[in-house]
Amino acid sequence: QVQLVESGGGLVQAGGSLRLSCAASGLTFSSYHMGWFRQTPGKEREFVGVLTRSGGNSYYADAVKGRFTISRDDAENTVYLRMNSLEPEDTAVYYCAAGQRGSIIVPEYDYWGQGTQVTVSS
């Protein structure tokens, strides 16, 4: 049974930082590209960034480029999302996902976590 469990969300002031973690189990973690997405009420889930299975390549949405960084620790089966210079517009539920393609598209991911809430106050 595959599980992805996010943690690290919370309330932070604008300009602050958070690091989200996503611990994976039940899959060969190193074989998967790992993506992060976010969603706010009434909106579709949107792509944040993806890190390839090798960790050698990453790609980010324009809205977070230069502020967010994805890293992974294959020994710990964990992927991280470091978020700096947070803005109120970053408020959302953040999800990690595992897929066989390094995609920006939701349907191309095989497994999803339950999400963690990030709230950025102004």
Side-chain angles (χ1 to χ4, degrees):
Q1 178 183 357
V2 175
Q3 280 193 311
L4 301 179
V5 180
E6 300 97 336
S7 60
L11 175 65
V12 63
Q13 288 189 331
S17 298
L18 279 176
R19 189 181 77 160
L20 306 183
S21 300
C22 171
S25 61
L27 76 170
T28 305
F29 181 75
S30 60
S31 298
Y32 285 83
H33 302 297
M34 297 302 298
W36 284 94
F37 291 75
R38 64 188 183 185
Q39 189 170 23
T40 54
K43 293 189 176 181
E44 292 188 353
R45 195 165 296 187
E46 68 172 2
F47 171 77
V48 172
V50 60
L51 183 63
T52 59
R53 59 172 68 97
S54 66
N57 290 292
S58 58
Y59 181 74
Y60 298 92
D62 287 344
V64 307
K65 199 174 296 182
R67 300 188 297 122
F68 290 13
T69 303
I70 302 173
S71 60
R72 63 190 295 160
D73 184 340
D74 286 355
E76 296 293 329
N77 288 356
T78 301
V79 63
Y80 303 97
L81 178 65
R82 177 69 180 183
M83 305 184 293
N84 295 328
S85 302
L86 282 161
E87 304 167 353
E89 293 73 22
D90 295 317
T91 295
V93 176
Y94 283 73
Y95 299 88
C96 68
Q100 296 286 357
R101 298 182 179 182
S103 175
I104 67 171
I105 301 173
V106 167
E108 293 194 346
Y109 283 84
D110 302 308
Y111 304 106
W112 291 84
Q114 83 290 346
T116 186
Q117 175 71 47
V118 171
T119 303
V120 184
S121 63
S122 57

